[in-house]
Structure formats: C-alpha cells, structure tokens
Amino acid sequence: MIKLPKPSIVINFKVYEEAEGAKALNITKMCAAVSKDSGVAIAVCPPAPELGIIARSIKIPVLAQNADPFPAGASTGWMTPSVIKGAGAFGTLINHTEHKSTDDTISKAIKMCGELNLLTIVCADSVEAAVRIAKFRPDIIAVEPPELIGGNVSVTDADPYIVKNTVTSVKKESRDISVLCGAGIKTGKDVKAALELGADGVLLASGIIRADDPKGALLDLIQYL
Ligand code: G3P
C-alpha cells in the first residue's frame, strides 16, 4: 500500500482552461509553496500533457488523471502505468466519473500500478461502487456523487451519509484503504466536515482551479488543518 500523508488534499485540474499549458505548472508551484508553509499534504492531478514536466520539477505528489492498463509497447494514445511512472508521477486517479472504466479495467489498472509502486486513487459514485472497488485493493477510494460535481453545494452538506457510509463500508473491507470525498468542496468548513465524517481528506477541482484567487481559496480550504 502506498500512502499519502493525512489529511490529504488532492486537486484535480481536469482539463479546465485555467490549467492549460504553463498555467498548470504555475498552479502546482503555488500548491507546493502552500504545502511547504502549512505542512498540509497537497497532491495535484494536472492535465496529461503537463504531467512529466510538473512531476519532474515539483516535489509534491503529482498524479495522472487516468491510467489505462496496457503494457509498454505498440499501443497509441493510452495513458499506461509505465508511461505515468516514466513521467515521474507519484500515482494516478482511476475511474473518475468523467472518465469511467469497467470493473475489469479498474482491477487491472490497480494491479499494474501497484507493481510499479504508483499510488492509486479510484473514484466511486456510490457506496455500492466503493465497496465493489475496495475488493480490488486500491490505495485510496474517493467517493463523489456525480450530480454534485462542479456545483456550489458540498457533498458534506448535501449528502453526508454517502461519506460516512463509504468510510464505514470501505474500512470493513480493509482498514488500509484511505477514503476521500469530493464534489462541491470549496471551503475550510467543507474540509473540516469531511474529516468529521471520517474521510481521510478531499478530492476537489473547481474550488481551486476556477477560483478568482486560487491561492486564497487554497488557504481558506486548509485553514482548520
Ligand atoms: O475530481 C474532483 C471532482 O470531480 C470534484 O469536482 O469541481 O466539484 O470540486 P469539484
């Protein structure tokens, strides 16, 4: 099992315009500085084309947004575990609700990433999905109700039970798997609520990437940690 220090803040840049090209490196530099000053663990998931340059130049954990379980060799356009490793990344997201995979693909990707010592954060859109995915033994499961993603209402307010129940159910399966929650998380109060519900951290995107002042938003986010 690979671990992220807890509580973990994982920021998915998605393919937002605000994180295209050199902007992704600048946001990551800001995250690294905030992490260093505060001592809070912050990991980032930049867009694929920026993965290598960021992972090789910044010290905080850098993750891919997806992993396709193919071996190195003659296949084109896939984000393979060995390409992710070669880029210098720390790990990868898998099965984000905006990039869904089958159970077979998820389990193969977890296995291949594990063999390369890459951290796996697998997204689940329900408690049931989280329990199913837990059997594949990822390092982390991130529960995110799809309908709340990108909105202004935090999962911790709109659906605290999904967070609590995912934590309880996943920990029953394996105490080694960490649980994050995500969707609509934007403030320090949301992060505090997530931890009180038993989560080990949060996975978020728009609250930082689309904020008018990303650094101010990040400082607000970690204020109670
Ligand atoms: O990957 C994180 C994400 O799906 C949550 O997005 O914008 O609601 O923080 P957001």
Side-chain angles (χ1 to χ4, degrees), residues 10-14 16 45 93 96-98 123 142 144-146 148-155 181-186 202-210:
V10 181
I11 305 173
N12 178 7
F13 295 10
K14 304 197 174 182
Y16 279 127
C45 314
L93 300 179
H96 192 282
T97 198
E98 294 150 3
C123 299
E144 301 194 314
L148 298 173
I149 289 179
N152 286 321
V153 182
S154 168
V155 60
C181 66
I185 292 195
K186 293 205 161 43
V202 296
L203 172 63
L204 79 159
S206 53
I208 303 298
I209 303 301
R210 308 214 71 196

Side-chain angles (χ1 to χ4, degrees), residues 16-32:
Y16 279 127
E17 223 177 310
E18 290 87 341
E20 283 176 1
K23 289 180 271 186
L25 181 59
N26 290 336
I27 299 168
T28 307
K29 282 184 182 160
M30 179 278 286
C31 293

Side-chain angles (χ1 to χ4, degrees), residues 48-142:
E50 306 304 321
L51 186 68
I53 182 107
I54 292 179
R56 287 194 290 271
S57 55
I58 306 281
K59 294 238 176 310
I60 59 173
V62 176
L63 279 68
Q65 294 181 9
N66 174 53
D68 299 304
F70 295 105
S75 56
T76 299
W78 299 103
M79 196 67 168
T80 61
S82 66
V83 157
I84 294 170
K85 187 73 184 180
F90 187 76
T92 184
L93 300 179
I94 293 170
N95 193 44
H96 192 282
T97 198
E98 294 150 3
H99 198 130
K100 287 291 239 184
S101 300
T102 62
D103 279 6
D104 184 51
T105 302
I106 296 170
S107 78
K108 282 184 185 145
I110 292 171
K111 189 163 178 294
M112 288 179 72
C113 288
E115 285 163 4
L116 293 173
N117 215 26
L118 288 168
L119 177 93
T120 47
I121 301 181
V122 183
C123 299
D125 56 13
S126 64
V127 180
E128 296 69 32
V131 170
R132 234 179 40 243
I133 290 164
K135 297 194 191 305
F136 307 141
R137 296 294 187 265
D139 300 299
I140 300 176
I141 289 178

Side-chain angles (χ1 to χ4, degrees), residues 40 166 173:
V40 174
T166 301
E173 192 63 46

